[in-house]
Amino acid sequence: MHLKHLLGIEKLSKEELLFLLKNAQSLVEISQRELKKVPALRGKMIINLFLEPSTRTRSSFEIAAKRLSADTINVGASDSSVVKGESLFDTAKNLEAMHPDVIVLRHKESGACEFLAQHLTHCSVVNAGDGLHEHPTQALLDLLTLREHFGKSGRSLQGLKISILGDVFHSRVARSNIFAHALLGNQVTVIGPATLVPKDFENFGTNNVRVAHQLSAIEGSDVIITLRMQLERQSKHFVPSLQEYSENFCLNKKVVHSLAPHAVILHPGPVNRGVEISSDLLDSDQALVFNQVSNGVAVRMAVLLAVATSGKEKVV
Ligand code: CP
């Protein structure tokens, strides 16, 4: 299966979602080999255009490309002509003139990836997070992590109760996960203060989303996706203080004690310890944050393969 672009989970079919997950699962073992490299994308060029900061996504896209033998370059906001005022359009058109196969874009504006996909003629575009819109590879790596975890006890990804807790309004991770779990038919509850979890999330993408404003709504969850408080996107005060927010919504061991033993915690990172999740819970076995990061490499390998090849190239 070949994808021209990956702009968001919303645009994927369930078949495409499951195809990417299956391929990612098969690519996990490449990172566990002594020689962590296969020739699948030899001769292909991938540009990571990250115009917003990133640690996990940028490094894992680069590692993924290198494990597939692609050539990569990284272009950031502070070390490119963006600081001289060059527009996204001109930046991307100039990069495309160097014949890359894929541009991976992170941008602060929602819709920036769609915009590039409309204006670039030759190369594929992969969304590495655009504004409040989507972060599709984060949702895919979250799903891969859940598939690994629940697969151990013979459960599938379907039939899970998912809670998404925290700054849902500013979260592209939340939006991509809501679309993904809608495709799987899973029930999603979004939880947080009314300012950060508006009532109209009930109608977001699916009619299977519940909105709650008390932490106790996590009861019965199989999965709790905790979200970072995105202070850099908050132009006004959404909560009276971080202390008050954490008193009401910080996930901690005492709160999750009532959940079933199989219940797990995800967090996309970076984490504000003690604000959205307590340090001891984050460092416990119940939190799968490093599994998420590891799986990010395999997911991004699968995505790069799907957009940069006809789908016929052998991986090993
Ligand atoms: N989860 C995530 O997108 O992290 P980074 O901002 O570090 O890439």
Side-chain angles (χ1 to χ4, degrees), residues 53-58 106 135 138 268-270:
S54 167
T55 297
R56 282 148 288 268
T57 313
R58 188 173 65 177
R106 172 168 285 195
H135 193 347
Q138 179 69 45

